[in-house]
Amino acid sequence: MILRQPQVLWILIVLLPLFLFWTARRRWPWPAMVARLVLTTLIVLALADPVLNPPAPPERLVFLLDQSLSLGTEGRLRLRQWVDQARQQGYAAAPVVTFSGRPTTEADFKPGLDPIALDSRLNLMAQATDIAAALDFGRQLLGTGGGRLVLLSDGAQTRGDALAAASRAADAGLTLDTVSVAPPSVADARLASLSVPPTLRVGEQYEIGILVEATTAGRGTLTLTRDGAALATQDVDLTAGRNTFTFPARAEREGFIQFRAEIATADDTVPLNNALENLARVYPRPRVLVIEAQAGASTALRAALTSAGVDSEVRTPRDLPARLSILSVYDAVVLLDVAANPSATEQMASRSLSTEQMLLLQEYVRQMGHGLLVIGGRNSYELGQYKGTALEATLPVKMEPQPRKERPPVALLLIIDHSGSMGTGPGSLLSMAKEAAILAADKLDRGDRLGVLIFDTETVWSVPFAPVGDGLEKQRIQDQIARIPGGGGTEILGALKVGLPELAQQPVNTKHAVLLTDGRSFTGRPPDYLQTVEDARRANITLSTVAIGDGADIDLLTQLAQWGQGRYHFAAKPTDIPRISVEESAIARADPVQEGVYRAELVAPHATMRGLAPRDLPALQGFISVTPKPEAEVVLRAPEGDPLLTAWQYGLGRVVAWTSDQGASWAKDWPAWSDYGRFWAQLVRYTLADPATGPLHVDLIPSDRPSEATLQVDVLDETGTPIDLADVGVRVTPPQGEARQLSLRQVAPGRYEQVVSLPVEGAYRFEVAVQKAGLAPLTREVGFVQPYAAEFIPRTDGASLMTSLAQRGGGRVLAQPGDLRPPSAVQAPPTRVLWPWLLTAALVLWPLEIAIRRLWPRERVERLNSV
């Protein structure tokens, strides 16, 4: 209580003797005297204006002290001394919460002692920094009513969301100040990563990648072991920063392979981050089906695949399995320069794919999750009539040549059989052939050159080679074609010997010939045909053939198209002839074939090119120009931007498109390349489905608690329906010690879980087994690697996090204990004025005093006065 007018109390001192003298003279009853004295005192005190001003409660504050291993002994002691100095400045009663992985209140705080150095059991707990847990603990400790949290840390959180916890503290009315300390600067060379492919196939070549991060330059020894046996030991020169090393290896056997890498340097002060382990699962060699149109075309390719660990079988398009159940025994399918045959003609069935077969391959990839590799050639892509088919839909490229600034002129030669068997009337084969030639002429552009050679037993130039013009010039050519008469026998070789040399003389780069016939030539031997076509090829001429009807020499025409690196067509009906001719004319005009000398360029790193240097790729002499689809990944391209190697995910499977050939014509230097087999094997392996997929999906989810994880198993049947009430067990084999058996409990439809302990770092193996009555047993073996604690990974963003926490919590970043504000009132209660209460008491007492004097017995008063 405080008297605002204390000088008024002098009145009471003066009045007290007078009051005693006066009351003694009057001889009042003693109760009245007491009442009068109290009444006087109350009035004087009211005049002194007393007020009640209670003291403010002390500020509520909690220190949150980081004691994790990332601080080092010096850092931990520095923060403890900071707290001690702050407690000496008025916060001796403030509790101290120490934390690393878990927060706890340190009842007996001793600033000069490092708890971790005193108790080795705390070392494991200190291998984490959970700032969020500490902030939540401090918030719960203060409760409601306001207060302040002071966080002391290096900000190197390894789990939790500290910013979210700071927001929760601010919402609770708490202020958050931070004290940031830099992590110790020490010499450290740590094993940052040990990378190996998680799944491999027997015979597969792969690379082991090792990343070492060093704080200082120096020398060290890098050791790599595989299944406990030394794989490599190498003295290395380390630079400050990132140091990468790769080691080649080959998968030799099925099962798990365990790798361990370790770096040792003379001045390393953090040995707990010097080693890492990893696991790879090796599966059987892949089984691939190679489809070839020309017998023996895949010999070199299959030999290369075999040497690289890929088993293959070869079939013709006719022998492609007609059911998915049979085709699915192969991991992938390779199409080697195979044409499409949308019309499904019997004569082309052995050398091309029907519509049904292309639909089968589409589902094989999209629904079954298998792989498809398409290798180019003169019977593939646009040249192979892929456009508009299910095969084009499956591929990552469209059958559209890349646009050129200016298309160079082309020369097209039509060699038309006008023998007697072709007929002469309307609707005859000859009339259809003439219509085809007219349509082909109409498709050519100004500057292109066209020649039409007709033959029976003799050859005649119906339209000698000349540039195609506009208007009257094009009409004149078409009129000449329309006047082609009927003739006699059939002499194919003579027509080729006349027409192809003349085509070779044309002053253009792109030269294409189309032979249309319905008969058989009874003169000429195969070597003569071969020599004629090879001479044409040397002049950069391509030759396509069209067999009209069943009477044509299909074998000869097919062989001529293969030798001439063109396309073979079968026209079952006369009306097919114009369509085929227009297609050949369009192909010649679009010029999808790009020939020259090209060096492939790497667009972006990709699994298909793992371990292969683009500069080592041999030159290409040609490819088919296509356009990549928007979702596709272009891996290799030609200098002008045309895609050479393109990949994409199609449904559940993967597809790779190579637009050059395998070495027959455009990639002649490739079979001699030392990595020829590895290149094709990696393309095939990229398309393969993950062998670990199946009805049993196993996942290991890290826990917030150190050294724990949740093993999660999803069990499905062949239709994808969850399997419930199954007996699911797992055998856990740790890096050290005995294996143990655990049972999993069902937590959701088809899902089973169990928390597993991972007490030490290293590789763990989990063998999951599922059993249920009426269901075939399911097994799955997976691996998991527990790395060293994240506490041993240097971090550089700690200071910025501490600043952000202070901003989020409405506080400041403190440098010295003196920056901590001195204790102050949180909020003092309001001052209470007491004089009204004193006057009220006096007013109540006054009538009482009068009553006493009036009612007191008179004889007693007189007796007192007579004394």
Side-chain angles (χ1 to χ4, degrees):
M1 185 177 67
I2 300 175
L3 300 177
R4 295 181 180 178
Q5 304 293 334
Q7 66 273 16
V8 178
L9 294 179
W10 289 103
I11 299 176
L12 185 62
I13 296 174
V14 173
L15 289 179
L16 183 61
L18 294 175
F19 175 77
L20 293 176
F21 176 76
W22 182 56
T23 53
R25 292 287 304 267
R26 294 292 302 270
R27 300 292 184 177
W28 282 358
W30 66 268
M33 291 191 303
V34 173
R36 180 65 60 88
L37 180 60
V38 172
L39 179 63
T40 304
T41 302
L42 289 175
I43 294 173
V44 173
L45 287 177
L47 293 175
D49 192 10
V51 295
L52 186 63
N53 191 13
E59 183 179 21
R60 304 167 69 238
L61 182 143
V62 173
F63 292 104
L64 306 176
L65 181 59
D66 186 355
Q67 294 289 272
S68 59
L69 290 178
S70 64
L71 289 162
T73 301
E74 181 182 349
R76 291 191 295 272
L77 290 177
R78 190 190 317 165
L79 291 183
R80 296 179 73 85
Q81 291 168 0
W82 200 102
V83 172
D84 182 57
Q85 295 175 20
R87 285 163 62 93
Q88 294 176 12
Q89 295 179 9
Y91 290 100
V96 178
V97 175
T98 58
F99 71 93
S100 49
R102 287 184 303 185
T104 182
T105 303
E106 188 169 333
D108 186 15
F109 179 73
K110 297 179 180 179
L113 297 179
D114 184 4
I116 297 177
L118 297 177
D119 189 349
S120 60
R121 293 175 300 176
L122 298 177
N123 188 287
L124 180 61
M125 297 176 56
Q127 293 184 11
T129 302
D130 195 341
I131 297 176
L135 292 173
D136 288 337
F137 187 88
R139 174 174 55 84
Q140 295 168 2
L141 194 64
L142 288 174
T144 59
R148 186 149 52 128
L149 300 173
V150 180
L151 172 67
L152 301 94
S153 173
D154 59 358
Q157 70 170 346
T158 60
R159 63 172 182 250
D161 188 344
L163 289 173
S167 297
R168 291 192 291 270
D171 293 341
L174 304 180
T175 301
L176 173 61
D177 293 332
T178 62
V179 179
S180 179
V181 61
S185 178
V186 297
D188 180 29
R190 74 180 186 95
L191 222 303
S193 72
L194 170 61
S195 59
V196 296
T199 59
L200 294 166
R201 299 278 187 158
V202 172
E204 181 176 356
Q205 290 180 307
Y206 61 97
E207 287 186 346
I208 304 168
I210 297 177
L211 174 62
V212 177
E213 292 187 353
T215 58
T216 59
R219 287 187 60 81
T221 301
L222 185 62
T223 304
L224 176 65
T225 63
R226 180 174 58 188
D227 290 333
L231 187 62
T233 300
Q234 182 176 326
D235 293 331
V236 295
D237 292 319
L238 300 176
T239 60
R242 297 165 61 89
N243 303 265
T244 58
F245 307 93
T246 57
F247 297 89
R250 188 183 183 94
E252 303 293 347
R253 59 170 182 80
E254 295 183 37
F256 274 107
I257 307 176
Q258 183 170 336
F259 301 89
R260 179 180 175 85
E262 188 169 355
I263 183 68
T265 58
D267 57 350
D268 192 5
T269 59
V270 188
L272 293 177
N273 61 8
N274 288 3
L276 279 176
E277 294 186 2
N278 209 340
L279 288 171
R281 181 72 164 87
V282 182
Y283 292 88
R285 293 165 64 104
R287 187 182 179 190
V288 175
L289 178 62
V290 178
I291 304 298
E292 63 177 13
Q294 183 177 356
S298 65
T299 301
L301 176 63
R302 293 184 59 212
L305 290 175
T306 300
S307 66
V310 177
D311 294 333
S312 63
E313 298 178 20
V314 62
R315 295 190 184 188
T316 65
R318 180 193 296 274
D319 298 325
L320 180 70
R323 291 188 298 174
L324 280 175
S325 58
I326 300 176
L327 188 60
S328 62
V329 302
Y330 299 98
D331 298 300
V333 171
V334 178
L335 299 182
L336 180 55
D337 192 21
V338 176
N341 177 23
S343 58
T345 58
E346 180 65 23
Q347 286 77 1
M348 293 183 63
S350 63
R351 298 178 178 88
S352 57
L353 297 172
S354 67
T355 299
E356 291 74 16
Q357 290 174 319
M358 289 185 281
L359 289 171
L360 180 74
L361 287 174
Q362 184 180 41
E363 295 306 302
Y364 171 78
V365 175
R366 182 170 59 185
Q367 299 294 337
M368 304 295 291
H370 293 286
L372 176 65
L373 168 61
V374 178
I375 301 174
R378 292 192 176 274
N379 298 292
S380 62
Y381 296 103
E382 186 171 357
L383 302 182
Q385 303 184 57
Y386 290 2
K387 189 173 184 63
T389 66
L391 185 55
E392 183 187 28
T394 307
L395 286 169
V397 294
K398 296 183 289 185
M399 305 304 112
E400 299 174 3
Q402 291 283 299
R404 310 291 171 185
K405 293 182 179 179
E406 182 178 350
R407 180 178 68 80
V410 302
L412 176 63
L413 170 62
L414 299 178
I415 305 175
I416 300 176
D417 180 358
H418 74 130
S419 61
S421 60
M422 293 284 287
T424 57
S428 65
L429 298 181
L430 181 59
S431 66
M432 292 294 103
K434 290 191 289 185
E435 180 183 347
I438 292 172
L439 291 174
D442 189 58
K443 291 294 182 181
L444 295 178
D445 294 333
R446 184 179 182 85
D448 294 334
R449 303 180 72 85
L450 174 66
V452 180
L453 181 68
I454 60 175
F455 72 95
D456 47 14
T457 55
E458 302 292 335
T459 57
V460 177
W461 284 100
S462 174
V463 179
F465 270 110
V468 176
D470 295 325
L472 294 176
E473 178 63 25
K474 184 173 288 188
Q475 183 63 46
R476 183 186 64 82
I477 293 175
Q478 294 174 347
D479 289 343
Q480 289 179 278
I481 295 173
R483 289 196 295 268
I484 294 176
T490 303
E491 177 55 57
I492 296 176
L493 180 59
L496 294 176
K497 286 186 174 183
V498 172
L500 295 180
E502 186 66 23
L503 177 59
Q505 300 300 317
Q506 301 307 306
V508 297
N509 291 327
T510 303
K511 305 166 187 175
H512 185 56
V514 181
L515 170 65
L516 301 91
T517 180
D518 72 333
R520 295 177 178 268
S521 180
F522 296 98
T523 61
R525 297 175 301 112
D528 298 329
Y529 284 101
L530 177 60
Q531 183 63 49
T532 301
V533 175
E534 285 183 345
D535 290 342
R537 285 298 303 135
R538 283 190 286 269
N540 201 31
I541 294 174
T542 55
L543 172 64
S544 293
T545 59
V546 181
I548 304 174
D550 296 331
D553 192 342
I554 293 175
D555 292 336
L556 174 62
L557 296 178
T558 301
Q559 192 65 65
L560 289 175
Q562 291 176 353
W563 289 338
Q565 297 187 9
R567 288 151 303 284
Y568 165 77
H569 303 274
F570 177 78
K573 305 182 296 294
T575 52
D576 290 337
I577 301 173
R579 174 185 58 81
I580 296 172
S581 180
V582 169
E583 288 176 0
E584 286 293 323
S585 177
I587 290 172
R589 288 187 313 107
D591 194 20
V593 176
Q594 300 298 308
E595 294 185 324
V597 178
Y598 304 94
R599 286 283 179 181
E601 299 175 352
L602 183 66
V603 178
H606 196 267
T608 54
M609 293 296 294
R610 186 178 63 212
L612 298 174
R615 64 178 179 274
D616 295 336
L617 298 176
L620 295 170
Q621 285 72 47
F623 60 89
I624 299 176
S625 180
V626 294
T627 299
K629 294 178 181 177
E631 303 85 358
E633 298 176 273
V634 178
V635 183
L636 296 175
R637 68 184 177 190
E640 293 186 0
D642 296 81
L644 296 173
L645 180 63
T646 313
W648 79 339
Q649 182 82 30
Y650 185 66
L652 299 178
R654 288 177 174 176
V655 185
V656 172
W658 172 252
T659 57
S660 188
D661 59 23
Q662 91 286 8
S665 177
W666 295 328
K668 292 181 179 179
D669 298 333
W670 284 58
W673 178 34
S674 60
D675 283 325
Y676 179 73
R678 181 178 182 180
F679 174 79
W680 292 115
Q682 288 191 177
L683 297 193
V684 170
R685 287 196 176 97
Y686 175 77
T687 69
L688 303 181
D690 184 356
T693 58
L696 203 59
H697 180 74
V698 182
D699 195 12
L700 209 65
I701 304 172
S703 170
D704 289 338
R705 296 184 178 182
S707 304
E708 283 188 0
T710 299
L711 180 65
Q712 188 178 89
V713 178
D714 290 310
V715 187
L716 308 174
D717 62 15
E718 294 180 352
T719 65
T721 303
I723 297 177
D724 298 325
L725 304 177
D727 182 12
V728 182
V730 60
R731 177 182 172 87
V732 184
T733 304
Q736 305 168 4
E738 298 293 330
R740 62 186 187 276
Q741 191 75 26
L742 300 174
S743 296
L744 279 68
R745 56 187 179 86
Q746 185 169 0
V747 297
R751 173 164 293 179
Y752 303 80
E753 289 183 356
Q754 180 60 271
V755 176
V756 294
S757 175
L758 309 172
V760 297
E761 65 183 66
Y764 292 77
R765 300 184 188 183
F766 299 86
E767 300 173 56
V768 179
V770 177
Q771 293 184 340
K772 184 179 180 180
L775 178 70
L778 299 174
T779 60
R780 174 84 184 278
E781 189 175 8
V782 298
F784 179 79
V785 176
Q786 175 81 322
Y788 55 74
E791 196 71 17
F792 303 117
I793 301 176
R795 298 178 182 272
T796 58
D797 57 348
S800 62
L801 175 62
M802 296 295 283
T803 301
S804 299
L805 289 173
Q807 295 173 348
R808 186 73 62 89
R812 302 176 300 153
V813 177
L814 310 177
Q816 302 295 333
D819 296 339
L820 194 63
R821 291 190 293 268
S824 58
V826 177
Q827 184 176 358
T831 300
R832 300 182 65 181
V833 179
L834 300 181
W835 68 264
W837 297 93
L838 296 174
L839 288 181
T840 300
L843 290 175
V844 172
L845 187 59
W846 187 18
L848 180 63
E849 185 268 340
I850 295 175
I852 293 173
R853 285 190 292 109
R854 298 287 187 186
L855 299 177
W856 192 265
R858 183 173 296 276
E859 60 275 11
R860 296 184 63 180
V861 175
E862 291 176 353
R863 190 181 304 118
L864 288 173
N865 290 333
S866 64
V867 174

